[in-house]
Amino acid sequence: MANFYTDNPDLKHHLSHPLMQKIVELKERNFADADKFDYAPQNFEDAMDSYQKVLEVVGEICGGKIAENAEGVDAQGPHVENGRVVYADGTQENLDLCRKAGLMGMAMPRRFGGLNFPITPYIMAADIVSRADTGFENLWGLQDCAETIYEFADEEQKERYIPRVCQGETMSMDLTEPDAGSDLQSVMLKATEQPDGTWRLNGVKRFITNGDSDIHLVLARSEDGTKDGRGLSMFIYDKRDGGVDVRRIENKMGIKGSPTCELTYKNAKAELCGSRRLGLIKYVMALMNGARLGIAAQSVGVSERAYREALDYARDRKQFGKAIIEFPAVYEMLAVMKAKLDASRALLYETARFVDIYKAYDDIAKERTLTAEERKEAKAFSRKADACTPLVKGMGSEYCNQNAYDAIQIHGGSGFMKDYACERVYRDARITSIYEGTTQLQVVAAIRHVTTGTYLSLIREYEAQPVKESLKGIHDILVGLTEKFEKAVQTVTETKNQEYLDFMARRLVEMAGNIIMAYLLLGHAEANESFTKSCEVYTKLAQSEVDKHSDFIANFSPAQIDCYKA
C-alpha cells in the first residue's frame, strides 16, 4: 500500500526548513503544554517527530483508502434527501477514517482538543489529501474555518464550537449568493437581531462547499439600509438549531464528491461572531486568505498527482519500439511539469512559513505585549504572507491546470477515456483557478505588492543569499531578469495611467512570481541537489516568460488598449 508522505521525499525536505525552529518555538510557547498534555512535545525535536508521525498517518490513509475510494466517489457523488446532504459511500468512509485518526482540528490548540500544529505541516497534510482525492480535501480542509472562530469569536463560543470540530464535525463558509459572487459587498442574506440578543437569518446562499456542514460561518447583512461591505457581519450557524435546508446540489464538472449546495435560510437561529459591521472588512478577508492558501495546497496536490500519472504512463507506454519517455517531446513535457510542481510547492511552503510566524505573534499578543522587535518582525512576515498568498493561489492553480492538461496529452487518446485517472484529475483541476477568487482577482490583490515594492524587496533578499559555484550561472540569469522586471514596472507606473496598470497587472505579477519561484528553487538546490534539475528547467521557463512580458510592455503604448476592447 502506498504512503503519500513517505513516497515523496520533497515533503520531508520542506518540513525540515531552518525557519521551522522559530515557528515551533513561537507556536509552543517554550513547550508549556508538555506539563498539561501527555501528547504535547517537550522540545523542538519532539515536535518535529510528532509532525512526521502524523503526516505518515495522513500519507497512509491517503495512499490507501482515500485514493482507492476516489473513483467510486466521483461516479456516485452526494445527493439530497429531505433537505439534507447524503455523502457518497466512499466520502463517508473517508471522513470516518480521518475522525478516528484524530486528523480533524489539527491546527487548533490542545485545550480545545486539537493538535496545535503550525500552518506548515497542516498545509502539507492538505497537499497529501488533495493528491488522493481533490474533492475530499474540500470537506477535510474546511476544518480551517475553525481558525476564524479561534481568532474572532468570544471565549464561550470557542469552547462550544472548536472542540466539536476537533472531534470531527464539519464546517462551511457561507459567503456567495446568486447575485453576489466575487462581489461580496452585494450580499443580501438578512440578519435580524432578536430581543434576547440572538439573530435570525433569512435568504439564499449559493455555491456553498459542503453546505450541509455541522457548523457554518455565514456572511449576512445586519445593518438596515446599507448596500456595501460596511453593513455586513459574520455569524455562526449551528445545524442542530435547524432553519437551513439544502435546496439542491450543483452538478459539477469535477470535485464531484464535494457537495456544492444552494441553501435556503428560513428564520435560522444564529449568533454574532466578533463585532458587527466587520464581517467582510475584517473577518472574511482573514477567512479567505486561509482558504486561498488551502486551494494553493490543493493545486499542488493535484499537480503532484498529474505529474505522477503522466510519468508512470510515459515509462510504460511503448511506441515505435521504445517507451515514450525516451522521446524529447515527452521528456521535455515531463521536466516542465516537474519544474512547475516544484516551483509552486516551494512558494506554497514559503508562504505557509510566513503565515505561521505572523499568526504566532498575533496569538502571543493576546497573552502579553509584544516587544518592539517582535512587532516589527510580525509586521514584516504579515506583509510577505499578504503578498505571497495571491501569488501562490493564482500561479499555483494555473500550473495545476497546465499539468493536468499535459498529463492527458502524454496519455494521448487514452487520457480522454475514463479508464485512466488523469481524466478525473483534469476535471478536478479546473476549479482551482476559479473558486476562492479567480486568478484574475488574485492579480488584483497582488498588483499593489508590485507597485509598492514588496515583491522586489523579497527578490532582493533571495538575491543576497550565497550560492555555490555550480549554481552561479542561474543566479546571474535571475539578477538579469530582476532588472527587466524593475524596468517593466517603471515603464508602466510612470505613465500614472490606472487603466494601463490594470491592463499590464497580470504580466507584472507573473514576472514577479516567476523570479521569486526561481529563486526559491535555487535556494532548495543549494541545500539539496535533488532540486537542481527543476531549478535549471524552471529558470529557463522563467527566463522565457519574463522576456516575453518585458518585450510586450516595452513595445506597447496605452493607446493600444482600445484594440483589446469588445
Side-chain angles (χ1 to χ4, degrees):
M1 183 184 293
N3 185 307
F4 283 3
Y5 176 68
T6 58
D7 75 353
N8 190 351
D10 292 355
L11 295 176
K12 194 169 288 188
H13 165 82
H14 285 290
L15 189 63
S16 62
H17 190 278
L19 263 183
M20 284 304 297
Q21 178 102 33
K22 183 179 188 68
I23 289 168
V24 171
E25 288 171 357
L26 289 172
K27 186 74 175 176
E28 290 296 339
R29 313 287 203 278
N30 296 319
F31 305 97
D33 273 2
D35 297 331
K36 305 171 188 174
F37 302 92
D38 57 8
Y39 62 96
Q42 298 186 11
N43 51 49
F44 172 70
E45 290 74 18
D46 197 13
M48 293 300 292
D49 183 61
S50 175
Y51 304 154
Q52 296 260 21
K53 286 178 178 174
V54 171
L55 288 169
E56 285 179 18
V57 172
V58 174
E60 183 178 347
I61 291 173
C62 288
K65 272 296 174 186
I66 294 178
E68 290 172 9
N69 287 338
E71 184 178 350
V73 168
D74 182 66
Q76 182 186 7
H79 65 278
V80 178
E81 288 183 10
N82 301 317
R84 302 272 69 86
V85 168
V86 178
Y87 293 124
D89 295 339
T91 301
Q92 191 60 58
E93 185 177 10
N94 295 343
L95 281 169
D96 291 342
L97 278 170
C98 289
R99 286 167 178 150
K100 288 175 184 175
L103 302 179
M104 308 295 278
M106 287 175 65
M108 289 295 99
R110 295 183 187 89
R111 63 190 175 97
F112 295 125
L115 297 179
N116 202 51
F117 267 36
I119 297 295
T120 301
Y122 166 69
I123 284 294
M124 195 165 285
D127 178 349
I128 295 167
V129 173
S130 300
R131 174 184 162 192
D133 184 342
T134 313
F136 180 69
E137 201 282 325
N138 284 345
L139 276 64
W140 178 85
L142 277 165
Q143 62 179 279
D144 191 45
C145 292
E147 183 76 18
T148 299
I149 294 177
Y150 178 69
E151 287 186 14
F152 303 117
D154 63 38
E155 191 62 28
E156 191 268 338
Q157 289 172 322
K158 295 177 192 178
E159 290 174 356
R160 276 193 292 122
Y161 290 113
I162 296 177
R164 288 171 54 183
V165 177
C166 295
Q167 290 160 15
E169 293 195 29
T170 59
M171 293 197 70
S172 65
M173 47 183 183
D174 303 4
L175 309 180
T176 307
E177 296 180 8
D179 296 317
S182 298
D183 181 16
L184 290 176
Q185 290 193 94
S186 299
V187 160
M188 292 307 295
L189 187 90
K190 178 68 175 172
T192 308
E193 189 172 17
Q194 306 299 299
D196 64 357
T198 62
W199 292 76
R200 299 285 169 169
L201 306 179
N202 287 278
V204 176
K205 290 287 184 182
R206 193 180 180 198
F207 296 151
I208 307 305
T209 301
N210 198 35
D212 196 28
S213 67
D214 300 297
I215 302 165
H216 301 229
L217 292 175
V218 188
L219 183 65
R221 189 159 298 281
S222 58
E223 312 307 312
D224 288 336
T226 62
K227 294 184 179 179
D228 62 11
R230 290 170 293 184
L232 299 171
S233 301
M234 181 70 77
F235 296 88
I236 303 172
Y237 163 74
D238 186 346
K239 188 166 77 171
R240 296 175 183 178
D241 291 328
V244 178
D245 287 323
V246 179
R247 180 182 287 174
R248 68 189 181 112
I249 294 175
E250 305 290 346
N251 186 14
K252 306 189 298 292
M253 175 193 294
I255 57 167
K256 286 185 162 295
S258 166
T260 302
C261 305
E262 184 170 307
L263 307 176
T264 55
Y265 281 77
K266 297 179 181 177
N267 218 30
K269 182 182 176 183
E271 51 192 283
L272 185 68
C273 179
S275 302
R276 289 172 68 156
R277 302 182 184 88
L278 296 181
L280 179 61
I281 297 168
K282 185 175 182 180
Y283 308 144
V284 168
M285 291 302 102
L287 182 64
M288 292 291 279
N289 272 342
R292 286 168 178 170
L293 190 62
I295 301 306
Q298 187 178 59
S299 299
V300 170
V302 176
S303 278
E304 178 79 40
R305 181 64 182 268
Y307 170 69
R308 286 177 180 257
E309 292 290 336
L311 180 64
D312 289 346
Y313 185 84
R315 283 171 171 165
D316 293 339
R317 176 65 169 163
K318 301 285 195 301
Q319 289 281 276
F320 307 104
K322 57 184 177 181
I324 64 171
I325 197 171
E326 295 182 40
F327 295 104
V330 175
Y331 67 62
E332 181 190 2
M333 288 175 71
L334 286 165
V336 172
M337 288 176 74
K338 184 65 161 67
K340 288 175 179 176
L341 165 61
D342 287 347
S344 52
R345 180 172 275 141
L347 183 55
L348 172 67
Y349 293 120
E350 182 81 332
T351 307
R353 289 186 289 267
F354 293 159
V355 173
D356 260 324
I357 291 176
Y358 96 79
K359 278 189 174 289
Y361 277 128
D362 282 355
D363 207 28
I364 291 169
K366 297 173 184 177
E367 303 164 4
R368 64 168 175 81
T369 302
L370 298 179
T371 66
E373 186 61 32
E374 287 173 332
R375 287 195 301 273
K376 181 180 178 181
E377 188 169 58
K379 186 177 180 179
F381 277 98
S382 177
R383 186 171 180 78
K384 289 178 181 178
D386 190 49
C388 288
T389 297
L391 205 61
V392 70
K393 198 282 182 185
M395 295 189 71
S397 64
E398 292 294 332
Y399 283 169
C400 160
N401 275 276
Q402 292 163 21
N403 277 5
Y405 179 99
D406 284 345
I408 284 188
Q409 194 69 17
I410 286 172
H411 280 70
S414 297
F416 199 66
M417 308 302 165
K418 288 187 178 289
D419 305 48
Y420 288 87
C422 65
E423 183 272 342
R424 183 182 75 249
V425 172
Y426 182 77
R427 288 185 288 107
D428 287 348
R430 189 62 190 89
I431 190 61
T432 60
S433 59
I434 297 172
Y435 61 7
E436 307 307 340
T438 63
T439 302
Q440 290 70 30
L441 282 177
Q442 302 312 308
V443 169
V444 171
I447 188 60
R448 67 187 177 91
H449 295 289
V450 171
T451 58
T452 59
T454 310
Y455 291 136
L456 184 59
S457 176
L458 189 58
I459 289 168
R460 294 298 187 209
E461 285 184 34
Y462 298 139
E463 185 183 294
Q465 293 173 2
V467 293
K468 53 193 173 188
E469 190 65 34
S470 61
L471 296 172
K472 282 187 177 177
I474 292 175
H475 184 272
D476 291 344
I477 290 172
L478 297 180
V479 171
L481 296 184
T482 304
E483 291 175 3
K484 291 183 178 182
F485 170 62
E486 276 192 279
K487 186 175 180 180
V489 172
Q490 183 181 1
T491 298
V492 174
T493 56
E494 69 185 3
T495 66
K496 300 190 184 304
N497 182 328
Q498 187 61 48
E499 184 180 32
Y500 184 44
L501 175 61
D502 293 342
F503 184 79
M504 291 298 185
R506 175 182 62 82
R507 295 170 181 85
L508 295 174
V509 169
E510 286 182 3
M511 290 170 83
N514 290 143
I515 297 167
I516 287 170
M517 285 189 275
Y519 264 120
L520 288 172
L521 281 179
L522 181 61
H524 291 304
E526 176 77 18
N528 186 334
E529 286 188 358
S530 71
F531 289 92
T532 302
K533 282 187 176 181
S534 279
C535 178
E536 291 184 2
V537 172
Y538 190 80
T539 299
K540 283 292 182 187
L541 178 66
Q543 189 173 25
S544 66
E545 289 295 305
V546 171
D547 285 349
K548 177 182 72 175
H549 292 323
S550 174
D551 182 67
F552 186 94
I553 291 169
N555 294 285
F556 194 93
S557 72
Q560 291 175 292
I561 293 175
D562 287 342
C563 298
Y564 292 82
K565 293 180 179 178

